[in-house]
DNA sequence: GTTCATCCATGAAACGATTCATGACTATGC
DNA sequence: GCATAGTCATGAATCGTTTCATGGATGAAC
């Protein structure tokens, strides 16, 4: 018995089972087949250890059942969670995710889009940052957090509402003089609206506010400088801060702590995103929480939707507030608490 | 000018340029072609907006230039960093990464491996947990942290050395009575050696030690119970803890803090992995740091190596110790520090 | 017994690339 | 001018699947 050393193909199975190649195809795809044939083919597949080769199928059907997800990286927990939920949503629909990391690099963002053109994926879910990148319109694309044009659907949290919510929350916590800090790029995207919402909220609540929007690079140094400049006789001039992202908020808390400003006793700090330790533990700071799971669901639903006419060009999903460890009154429950 | 609505293929380019299809192929692949042909083809490609279809190529060459990475998820920063560096190492070699999340689920682990059989990837880098999973040997596979057999190369940090290092470090920090806690599965993998190394180290340092290895499920409750049971008159019976992973260490620190045991004043805590906030900020706890970048590099090098005879069946890479915020003497620098 | 409809297996063609045996052409040497 | 070697474009065959026009077999209706 000289077994073929090559991996068996459908033709091999067909020959061995004494049926036509089309019949094998239908068995493999679970289509209706006569009982006798069904059995013969199934047995032969088993015997030869046949595994279907996906490339043949893709070439023929022009369907990869794969969606490309374009994202800077996965080190930021916000991205990691997004990837997590999008993968889950795709898996539910029997799709695969092809992950493309851009590291905020324009060339890579472009390359990744080209890849889809090479028929490696059926559609794109993209979280991109480069200002002058234009998206292809001949392929299903969904953009997260960034609006390109009405022809490219965009999904985002309710950033304006979140900013507004932060202002109201700070008021509720007793703040009178607040500030907003965020790192921006030249790009205007949906998260830019956090500031607008915050300003609206502050005006509604009749709070003094100040905004610091800095470009990456010297941002951290400048923020620290700003904070130092506003400490007079050991007291911080602001009693509430709304920070554009949790990741920045966490860094700001480090700076405040270093300067002996207590959070939350001396100043309330609210971030944005809703990051938690290990994705399921404590929130790392108090935060306006993005509904990442819903965002993922809508993205997938949209990119897979055959009927492009029913697709909204901008979907915004509701956020909510969550307390982080910074807002627990530790001092009361543990007077000797040391920093962990 | 009636342009073809279909995406142009190589045949279209060949016809339009008045050359043979093979010539187009060689131009696309950057092989030597006569200058005149070169120019004609390049121009036509440009004019038609031709993008090569990867599937045709894959089908013919049987090479996907893609490596599948099988991993539980990306929410744990350890996994996220691994994914990050493996992707970078693959990209350097012009390979793509296909990410497969298993969520610790055996069925998924198996499915993912089947996928590669379907010729979606040229090889596998796998971090799996299910005890009775056996790896295919007809495909290049590299396993992380888990040794299957001599025929399947395994890459891991020096877990034994790391455990030993933790013991010595605790001694150095003045500890006398220490404990080791880790969550285990029925699976015996490389990280299991952390305990062995720790015990060796404790014996070398002449320290009292105790080990708690618990199965997932009630582990957290049991650990807390253990800690409570060892607090007498406000003092914790142990002055040093070596925890199996940073993620558990972080949770243990939360428990200790809740019970008014100060870290590091009352007890030193050392974890394993070297997790940092956002991948590049502070270590979340003091830790034995895994050389993730090197691990990634070796994995990629190994899985791509054509000559399987030169690969080692087990590669262990050196670890190092890093201080987390827990080991800074906060009390001295900020007597009023509140927990953040 | 004949006709018709139904069901379903058949197998060639197609998907879009690469590969390679072939032969056309040029250049060189004598 | 002829023989030889070298270069390089050609295009048919191939990879492994799906698809679909074809027709054989079966059963129902009369």
């Amino acid at each position: 018995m000289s077994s073929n050393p090559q991996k068996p193909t459908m033709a091999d199975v067909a020959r061995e089972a004494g049926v036509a190649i089309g019949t094998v195809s239908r068995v493999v795809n679970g289509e209706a087949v006569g009982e006798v044939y069904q059995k013969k083919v199934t047995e032969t597949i088993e015997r030869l250890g046949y595994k279907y080769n996906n490339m043949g199928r893709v070439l023929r059907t022009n369907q990869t059942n794969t969606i490309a997800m374009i994202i800077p990286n996965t080190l930021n927990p916000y991205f990691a969670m997004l990837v997590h939920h999008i993968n889950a949503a795709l898996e539910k629909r029997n799709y695969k995710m092809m992950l493309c990391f851009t590291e905020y690099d324009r060339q890579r963002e472009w390359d990744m889009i080209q890849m889809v053109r090479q028929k490696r994926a059926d559609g794109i879910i993209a979280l991109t940052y480069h200002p002058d990148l234009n998206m292809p319109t001949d392929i299903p694309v969904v953009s997260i957090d960034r609006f390109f044009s009405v022809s490219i659907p965009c999904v985002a949290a309710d950033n304006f509402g979140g900013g507004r919510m932060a202002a109201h929350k700070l008021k509720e916590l007793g703040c009178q003089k607040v500030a907003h800090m965020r790192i921006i790029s030249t790009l205007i995207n949906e998260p830019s609206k956090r500031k607008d919402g915050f300003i609206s909220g502050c005006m509604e609540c009749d709070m003094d506010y100040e905004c610091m929007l800095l470009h990456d690079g010297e941002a951290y140094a400048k923020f620290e400088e700003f904070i130092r400049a506003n400490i007079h006789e050991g007291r911080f001039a602001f009693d509430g801060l709304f920070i554009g992202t949790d990741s920045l908020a966490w860094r700001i808390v480090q700076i405040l702590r270093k300067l002996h400003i207590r959070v939350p006793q001396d100043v309330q700090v609210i971030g944005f995103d809703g990051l938690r330790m290990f994705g399921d533990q404590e929130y790392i700071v108090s935060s306006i929480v993005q509904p990442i799971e819903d965002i993922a669901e809508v993205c997938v639903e949209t990119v897979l939707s055959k009927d492009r006419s029913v697709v909204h060009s901008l979907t915004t999903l509701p956020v909510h507030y969550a307390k982080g460890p910074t807002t627990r009154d530790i001092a009361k429950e543990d007077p000797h608490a040391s920093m962990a």
Side-chain angles (χ1 to χ4, degrees), chain A:
Chain A
M1 182 177 123
S2 72
S3 70
N4 193 336
Q6 297 290 353
K7 272 178 67 166
T9 104
M10 264 192 184
D12 295 330
V13 174
R15 189 171 5 84
E16 285 283 321
V19 302
I21 193 169
T23 309
V24 178
S25 173
R26 288 164 65 194
V27 170
V28 170
N29 288 23
E31 289 165 34
V33 168
E35 204 179 328
V36 181
Y37 289 83
Q38 171 75 257
K39 193 162 166 234
K40 270 200 288 188
V41 172
T42 313
E43 270 171 6
T44 311
I45 285 179
E46 198 65 36
R47 185 159 60 80
L48 300 187
Y50 165 77
K51 298 289 169 206
Y52 88 83
N53 178 322
N54 194 50
M55 292 312 154
R57 173 190 298 223
V58 169
L59 181 57
R60 184 59 226 251
T61 60
N62 208 29
Q63 260 244 345
T64 59
N65 265 54
T66 299
I67 295 294
M69 161 118 216
I70 299 182
I71 202 161
N73 58 51
T74 194
L75 294 181
N76 183 319
Y78 170 61
F79 296 145
M81 286 170 65
L82 211 42
V83 164
H84 181 82
H85 290 299
I86 287 192
N87 183 65
L90 284 171
E91 192 176 87
K92 230 170 33 184
R93 294 164 175 83
N94 228 328
Y95 267 73
K96 310 272 169 243
M97 178 177 72
M98 147 158 270
L99 208 42
C100 306
F101 297 113
T102 65
E103 300 298 340
Y104 301 96
D105 179 57
R106 193 261 160 90
Q107 185 59 45
R108 282 208 189 80
E109 289 185 347
W110 182 242
D111 289 349
M112 300 308 173
I113 289 167
Q114 291 313 306
M115 239 171 54
V116 181
R117 280 258 171 67
Q118 292 166 14
K119 220 40 214 164
R120 285 180 135 107
D122 301 334
I124 305 180
I125 298 175
L127 207 164
T128 58
Y129 288 91
H130 209 280
D132 53 348
L133 177 77
N134 45 10
M135 282 288 169
T137 49
D138 55 342
I139 287 170
V141 178
V142 173
S143 169
I144 299 179
D145 275 358
R146 176 172 174 193
F147 184 82
F148 284 90
S149 75
V150 287
S151 62
I152 295 180
C154 169
V155 180
D158 179 6
N159 287 282
F160 184 93
R164 195 162 158 271
M165 185 183 289
H168 283 268
K169 199 74 205 176
L170 288 174
K171 179 72 175 187
E172 202 176 293
L173 289 167
C175 301
Q176 288 297 345
K177 185 154 193 279
V178 298
H180 173 50
M181 301 177 181
R182 202 167 88 85
I183 294 180
I184 54 173
S185 61
T186 51
L187 181 71
I188 299 194
N189 55 14
E190 292 301 306
S192 307
K193 298 182 183 165
R194 292 172 194 175
K195 180 200 67 178
D196 307 328
F198 184 67
I199 293 178
S200 285
C202 286
M203 291 171 68
E204 288 163 11
C205 293
D206 201 27
M207 285 192 297
D208 283 346
Y209 66 86
E210 197 159 318
C211 288
M212 280 196 83
L213 304 177
L214 298 182
H215 285 271
D216 206 351
E218 295 190 324
Y220 298 117
K222 289 253 178 71
F223 284 134
E224 177 160 353
E225 200 178 294
F226 171 80
I227 293 170
R228 280 181 191 278
N230 280 284
I231 299 179
H232 309 294
E233 297 173 15
R235 285 184 55 86
F236 188 39
F238 296 86
D239 53 11
L241 296 178
F242 169 48
I243 315 291
T245 65
D246 282 354
S247 115
L248 178 58
W250 187 84
R251 286 164 165 99
I252 297 285
V253 168
Q254 303 299 107
I255 294 172
L256 289 167
R257 184 189 286 161
K258 193 176 70 181
L259 299 173
H260 308 306
I261 310 296
R262 294 171 305 170
V263 180
Q265 294 92 329
D266 301 330
V267 60
Q268 296 285 344
V269 175
I270 297 181
F272 205 110
D273 283 346
L275 303 189
R276 297 158 172 244
M277 286 301 279
F278 306 109
D280 63 351
Q281 300 286 300
E282 247 176 358
Y283 286 95
I284 64 168
V285 295
S286 289
S287 184
I288 305 298
V289 184
Q290 297 213 41
I292 297 192
E293 199 166 343
D294 299 337
I295 291 177
E297 194 67 28
V298 173
C299 283
V300 168
E301 198 59 59
T302 305
V303 80
L304 294 185
S305 121
K306 304 284 176 216
D307 183 1
R308 306 295 290 173
S309 68
V310 301
V311 165
H312 296 273
S313 65
L314 177 59
T315 309
T316 56
L317 299 164
V319 297
H320 72 270
Y321 170 81
K323 271 191 189 181
T326 44
T327 56
R328 259 200 246 131
D329 194 352
I330 300 301
K332 205 182 286 176
E333 83 180 32
D334 177 9
H336 303 299
S338 79
M339 184 186 119

